[in-house]
Amino acid sequence: MSNIVVIAEVRGGQLKRTSLEAVTAGLQLAQKSGGKVIAVACGAGLDAAAAELAKSGVHKVVAVDGPTFANYSGDAYARAIAEQVKAAAATAVLMVHTAMGKDLLPRVSALLEGSVVTDVVEVSCDGGTFGARKPVFAGKATMTVNAKKAPFCATLRPNNFAAAEGSGSAEVSKTAPPAGDLLSVVKEVIASSGGRTPLQEAKVVVSGGRGLKEAAHFKLVEDLVAAFGPGVAAVGASRAVVDAGWRPHREQVGQTGKVVSPPLYIAIGISGAIQHLAGMRTARTIVAINKDADAPIFKVADYGIVGDAFEIVPALTKAIAEIVAGK
Amino acid sequence: MDIVVCIKRVPATDTTIKIAADGKSIEPAGVSFELNAYDEFALEQALRIKEQLGSGTVTVVTIGSKDAQKELRDTLARGADKAVLLTTDQWVFDGASTAAALAAWIKSVPCNLVLCGRQAVDSDNNQLPANLAARLGFACVTEVAKLELADGTFTAERDIEGAREVVTCKTPAVISCQKGLNEPRYANLKGIMAAKKKPLEEAAASLPAPALEIVSLTLPPARAAGKILGTGVDAVPALIAALRDEAKVL
Ligand SMILES: Cc1cc2nc3c(=O)[nH]c(=O)nc-3n(C[C@H](O)[C@H](O)[C@H](O)COP(=O)(O)OP(=O)(O)OC[C@H]3O[C@@H](n4cnc5c(N)ncnc54)[C@H](O)[C@@H]3O)c2cc1C
Ligand SMILES: Nc1ncnc2c1ncn2[C@@H]1O[C@H](COP(=O)(O)O)[C@@H](O)[C@H]1O
């Protein structure tokens, strides 16, 4: 019997929706390993988040809750979670590949002398051996690995697992953060997206490229994003337009930007350079709008329209807005 | 401050990847290698900290093949004081064993700051710096896009989903560097000449038993041939229908 720990991410008391994707992956693994799934959350004031987790289908929730954990501290959270992994006798630990996940899980694995694979798109458990599949070389190849050391720790690329929608009522146990100094302390969290949906969590990413000709024309992209309704879509950009100063780097999709994997990715006036593809080729459905029928983006796009973005995008925005309004 | 900069030699980002006959590694023929781009930010930051303090050492280390001498020489030419090559014939993709070997080496040298890139663009792990820090018991901030050092305290900024985190820590620390942190300098002729006289030490890496084993390396499944739905505005209804009825994303 092999238990699975899922680390849930809570920021400002709010459970990150993507954590429920890790719950799904955990439940999948537990079915194969014959173990239970224990969700562990760190923070301060975790009651609401823990209650939500308790419903997700996990077997148990552990909330490491206390004022010293109000802000993220990689070293302190890692120590607390490592303790919980030991207490749960878990042989696998999952978390989403977010800014927190990629900072935290490698530390947990190191404290426990385990194995760690990051940014995975698939996890497996075969005859007691855990494994994972992940893109490497900027998505130009896929690597499949097996764990040789326990616990097997993996961060999951967002949007690759459906969010768990259980109706369970798992036991919640609350414990205080372990004593000890915090080596690093988050002093401040400055919102940078003005309440907009973070790129990696968006269900739809609409990216614009140099084909839009100038910064002001990104209004076309923003209008299309808005047409999907609040909290659904986000603006992305190619490096060419970030380098030109039209958009901030945090919106850049690609090898030297963000990797996104949304259900729908719309590329507007983007040629589809290999470094851009690295950031979006695992999107479920890709749409390309480009006036050049030979643009490489059409090789990865599921659907393409050849033509002038300045004509096509407003028509698309109108059609999407009508559908969304009709829902 | 004694600074260690961790670097990796990786395939250039525009290289075409071919899978070798063993089905577990890449075909090295025809691949051009370079210093991992994020490690350039780490080296630059190390040189700037040394300049700011007016004292200290910058030592560059890598675990890799003998060929990495070339990238190490380049870091010496840009201003590092010393380079160390911990050799192995294996492709180092396993963050846990790499971090264990680097941690053991770092403990054997004077070091109060380790600077890394955020990610090596071969295995695309983004895990070594945090893994290393936990093994060393050092403070750690990853994916840092802005860094200041005043009165012995680092103030680092990093992007998280929808926000920017401001994190403080003291030495000893591990910091991983994101694009935007600085503009790396390149080697000039004087630097290249000086580098010839700087120490480049070599020793066999003592990597522990791997924590991961590669089952296979494959090319990504080709995306099914896409459909060009038409030209211009007239194709919009076909796109809406495809997204709603076929892809079911609306
Ligand atoms: C080390 C390295 C890292 C990189 N990292 C990234 C990265 O992370 N992300 C990234 O995106 N790039 C990255 N790049 C850059 C990449 O190689 C390309 O240069 C970049 O993606 C091109 O951006 P673009 O598609 O917007 O511009 P272009 O390649 O100039 O393409 C513009 C497209 O717009 C089309 N177009 C023009 N007018 C219209 C119109 N009216 N309507 C419709 N279409 C139109 C054109 O046909 C063309 O296909 C990297 C490069 C290197 C070397
Ligand atoms: N083999 C290695 N030798 C030295 N440093 C490394 C090695 N692999 C990774 N690093 C460092 O760790 C950073 C993150 O790498 P990774 O976690 O592998 O994506 C890199 O940018 C380097 O600074």
Side-chain angles (χ1 to χ4, degrees), chain B:
Chain B
M1 196 172 293
D2 292 307
I3 307 173
V4 167
V5 179
C6 299
I7 67 144
K8 193 175 190 187
R9 173 184 155 90
V10 295
T13 53
D14 52 3
T15 304
T16 308
I17 296 294
K18 294 202 186 98
I19 309 297
D22 67 359
K24 294 181 179 185
S25 57
I26 60 165
E27 183 58 62
V31 176
S32 62
F33 287 84
E34 61 186 22
L35 173 59
N36 183 44
Y38 296 108
D39 303 349
E40 296 190 37
F41 303 129
L43 174 63
E44 178 63 33
Q45 203 60 33
L47 298 173
R48 288 188 190 189
I49 292 172
K50 183 181 162 187
E51 284 158 10
Q52 179 192 340
L53 298 176
S55 67
T57 60
V58 175
T59 305
V60 179
V61 64
T62 189
I63 299 182
S65 74
K66 295 237 180 213
D67 297 327
Q69 280 178 358
K70 178 169 155 284
E71 282 70 28
L72 289 173
R73 274 285 168 224
D74 178 38
T75 66
L76 292 173
R78 295 191 203 204
D81 301 304
K82 181 179 166 185
V84 176
L85 174 54
L86 302 173
T87 54
T88 171
D89 299 334
Q90 308 286 313
W91 175 42
V92 272
F93 71 96
D94 169 20
S97 61
T98 315
L102 275 175
W105 179 82
I106 288 170
K107 281 180 189 159
S108 75
V109 299
C111 170
N112 23 42
L113 177 64
V114 181
L115 290 168
C116 296
R118 74 178 263 264
Q119 180 162 337
V121 300
D122 52 356
S123 52
D124 283 331
N125 277 342
N126 198 331
Q127 58 155 274
L128 185 122
N131 199 315
L132 182 63
R135 288 170 196 275
L136 292 169
F138 284 18
C140 176
V141 192
T142 55
E143 304 194 288
V144 169
K146 190 171 170 209
L147 185 67
E148 266 158 28
L149 169 63
D151 304 328
T153 298
F154 285 106
T155 303
E157 293 186 15
R158 60 192 299 261
D159 283 326
I160 62 171
E161 293 75 16
R164 192 164 251 234
E165 249 177 15
V166 184
V167 192
T168 60
C169 71
K170 288 193 191 306
T171 57
V174 177
I175 288 171
S176 86
C177 304
Q178 167 67 297
K179 187 185 157 157
L181 180 61
N182 54 44
E183 276 303 323
R185 72 193 70 181
Y186 293 98
N188 55 26
L189 191 61
K190 193 164 150 252
I192 294 169
M193 296 311 289
K196 295 194 171 138
K197 297 197 200 76
K198 290 180 178 174
L200 195 166
E201 291 171 8
E202 252 181 64
S206 49
L207 288 157
L212 296 173
E213 111 191 309
I214 298 184
V215 177
S216 68
L217 196 66
T218 53
L219 295 179
R223 292 191 72 102
K227 281 188 235 164
I228 301 267
L229 297 171
T231 311
V233 188
D234 297 345
V236 169
L239 176 59
I240 293 287
L243 293 178
R244 192 183 45 209
D245 307 331
E246 203 173 80
K248 301 201 188 320
V249 287
L250 290 183

Side-chain angles (χ1 to χ4, degrees), chain A residues 11 16 72 98-99 102-103 106-107 109-111 113-118 134 136-149 183-193 198 200-201 228 239 243 249 252 255-256 263-264 275 281-287 298 300-306 311-312 315-316 319-320 323 327, chain B residues 11-15 17 19 26 38 91 93 96 118 121-127 130-131 134-135 137-143 158-170 178-179 208-221 223 226-233 235-236 239-240 242-244 246-247 249-250:
Chain A
R11 286 197 182 268
K16 283 283 214 175
Y72 177 62
T98 55
K102 50 197 167 179
D103 188 85
R107 306 182 196 233
S109 81
L111 295 177
E113 288 289 344
S115 50
V116 52
V117 205
T118 47
K134 69 163 285 179
V136 290
F137 299 102
K140 286 182 261 183
T142 307
M143 181 166 81
T144 306
V145 291
N146 275 343
K148 307 285 282 178
K149 284 187 183 166
L183 299 179
S184 63
V185 186
V186 172
K187 285 288 174 208
E188 203 184 344
V189 179
I190 309 161
S192 59
S193 66
Q200 292 110 311
E201 292 168 18
F228 282 97
R239 170 158 166 190
D243 285 353
H249 179 253
Q252 182 178 317
Q255 180 159 23
T256 42
L264 177 60
Q275 297 94 351
R281 70 185 305 154
T282 57
R284 187 134 41 81
T285 301
I286 298 173
V287 171
F298 286 122
V300 297
D302 300 278
Y303 306 111
I305 299 183
V306 179
E311 292 170 13
I312 298 164
L316 180 61
I320 298 277
I323 292 185
K327 263 189 191 158
Chain B
T13 53
D14 52 3
T15 304
I17 296 294
I19 309 297
I26 60 165
Y38 296 108
W91 175 42
F93 71 96
R118 74 178 263 264
V121 300
D122 52 356
S123 52
D124 283 331
N125 277 342
N126 198 331
Q127 58 155 274
N131 199 315
R135 288 170 196 275
F138 284 18
C140 176
V141 192
T142 55
E143 304 194 288
R158 60 192 299 261
D159 283 326
I160 62 171
E161 293 75 16
R164 192 164 251 234
E165 249 177 15
V166 184
V167 192
T168 60
C169 71
K170 288 193 191 306
Q178 167 67 297
K179 187 185 157 157
L212 296 173
E213 111 191 309
I214 298 184
V215 177
S216 68
L217 196 66
T218 53
L219 295 179
R223 292 191 72 102
K227 281 188 235 164
I228 301 267
L229 297 171
T231 311
V233 188
V236 169
L239 176 59
I240 293 287
L243 293 178
R244 192 183 45 209
E246 203 173 80
V249 287
L250 290 183

